[in-house]
Amino acid sequence: MPASRSPIPDFLYGTAWKEERTAGLTELALRAGFRGIDTANQRKHYFEAGVGHALAASYRAGVLTREQLFLQTKFTYQPGQDHRLPYDAAASYSIQVTQSLASSLKHLRTDYLDSYVLHGPVSGDSWTPADAETWEAMIRERNSGRTRFLGVSNVRRQHLEQMEVTRAEMPSFVQNRCYARFGWDRDVRLFCRERNIIYQGFSLLTANPEVLRDSLVTCLAKEMNATPAQIVFAFSLAVGILPLTGTSDEEHMQQDLAARGLKLSPETVQMIESLAG
């Protein structure tokens, strides 16, 4: 792993559900200015090798270097996969982690990741022994230098509390779908804030169409010469959410990044946080 490492970005470009457009859109996002890429070794919803193709093309073109990129991918259990598994289904979870990560490094044409994320626990209700085994295997991969940070995704507060009770090492990142009607995942965000865990929020737009139509947001957008989507992203940054966007539109990529320059008053932030669908 090189001594010079990319900083944690303030925006991530998500690569899910893009299939044959993955490479082109990922390269477009990098040219637009994104320096954080999120993917997964889950062929059912992601084309990780397509991301690797985009990275190689971007490096060749001088858009950026590997050291300037924050690269995050995920380990996904078999129930979340289709038949195109990146590991031996009969192997232990520990071996599956090793095999999946090796496959990711090959797909992404790198010898290390910046973040490796558990793509959801086995159970929606508890942190299980299977999760503990998987997490320990991920820690070993981190200790070996194949990733800088570890994270968990699609978790509830009780998963994190159970990790803590069992004295498991806590993640550097938590990545969840973020619904306004659930307080923008307030319980999990609060847990993360109290422990200096960075909260990554995805589906900030698609999970919250009612917010984009809300008069508060539309009026703010008009006043600030912005779009409702930019207001949502500016809000997310103001409350400590590291946002993901998966837009396939070049203009929207530029707009999403420009949202970093919008400053909302504390009163406005509180009003948006209180919106419910």
Side-chain angles (χ1 to χ4, degrees):
M1 192 183 300
S4 175
R5 303 173 185 178
S6 60
I8 296 170
D10 53 10
F11 224 124
L12 289 171
Y13 184 71
T15 61
W17 309 303
K18 293 177 173 59
E19 285 300 318
E20 72 281 353
R21 301 180 69 197
T22 298
L25 289 172
T26 301
E27 187 172 357
L28 192 64
L30 293 169
R31 289 181 179 275
F34 283 92
R35 291 298 178 264
I37 298 294
D38 174 84
T39 187
N41 204 347
Q42 180 197 33
R43 192 60 189 86
K44 182 178 180 180
H45 296 308
Y46 293 80
F47 184 24
E48 194 180 51
V51 172
H53 181 85
L55 298 182
S58 297
Y59 302 151
R60 286 196 304 270
V63 175
L64 79 170
T65 65
R66 172 66 186 91
E67 293 73 31
Q68 294 170 323
L69 176 69
F70 185 91
L71 185 55
Q72 174 172 278
T73 193
K74 308 178 192 80
F75 170 82
T76 308
Y77 287 120
Q78 188 175 357
Q81 304 271 9
D82 60 17
H83 63 283
R84 293 168 291 183
L85 294 173
Y87 47 70
D88 179 1
S92 67
Y93 291 120
S94 295
I95 296 299
Q96 288 180 11
V97 166
T98 298
Q99 292 175 343
S100 186
L101 180 52
S103 171
S104 288
L105 295 175
K106 182 177 180 181
H107 288 160
L108 298 169
R109 310 183 191 198
T110 185
D111 59 1
Y112 75 99
L113 301 172
D114 294 286
S115 175
Y116 197 40
V117 175
L118 175 58
H119 203 182
V122 165
S123 165
D125 297 318
S126 62
W127 184 255
T128 66
D131 298 315
E133 178 187 344
T134 301
W135 189 241
E136 284 299 319
M138 292 174 67
I139 289 171
R140 287 194 294 273
E141 295 293 347
R142 190 275 316 280
N143 292 345
S144 73
R146 282 185 279 273
T147 185
R148 293 170 56 200
F149 301 107
L150 296 174
V152 294
S153 181
N154 301 305
V155 292
R156 299 163 70 180
R157 180 170 179 135
Q158 63 204 54
H159 290 113
L160 298 169
E161 289 174 340
Q162 289 166 9
M163 287 183 75
E164 195 168 55
V165 166
T166 61
R167 298 177 183 258
E169 179 178 324
M170 300 307 290
S172 295
F173 302 104
V174 166
Q175 184 189 104
N176 272 1
R177 181 174 279 110
C178 201
Y179 291 100
R181 62 181 178 272
F182 297 140
W184 303 93
D185 205 14
R186 188 178 293 113
D187 285 349
V188 173
R189 287 194 294 117
L190 180 59
F191 182 97
C192 291
R193 186 181 307 140
E194 291 171 344
R195 292 157 181 82
N196 295 316
I197 297 169
I198 296 174
Y199 180 95
Q200 302 177 2
F202 69 93
S203 296
L204 286 159
L205 305 184
T206 56
N208 302 299
E210 72 284 354
V211 171
L212 296 172
R213 296 190 300 264
D214 190 272
S215 59
L216 169 64
V217 172
T218 57
C219 288
L220 272 171
K222 187 174 182 181
E223 290 172 10
M224 301 182 74
N225 194 28
T227 66
Q230 286 178 306
I231 298 298
V232 170
F233 286 131
F235 158 78
S236 70
L237 290 164
V239 296
I241 295 172
L242 196 172
L244 282 82
T245 180
T247 183
S248 58
D249 182 279
E250 184 175 8
E251 183 180 9
H252 289 168
M253 290 179 185
Q254 298 284 358
Q255 290 174 347
D256 293 349
L257 289 172
R260 297 176 296 183
L262 298 177
K263 302 304 177 187
L264 306 178
S265 70
E267 295 78 17
T268 298
V269 170
Q270 186 173 10
M271 285 190 289
I272 297 174
E273 188 154 13
S274 300
L275 287 176

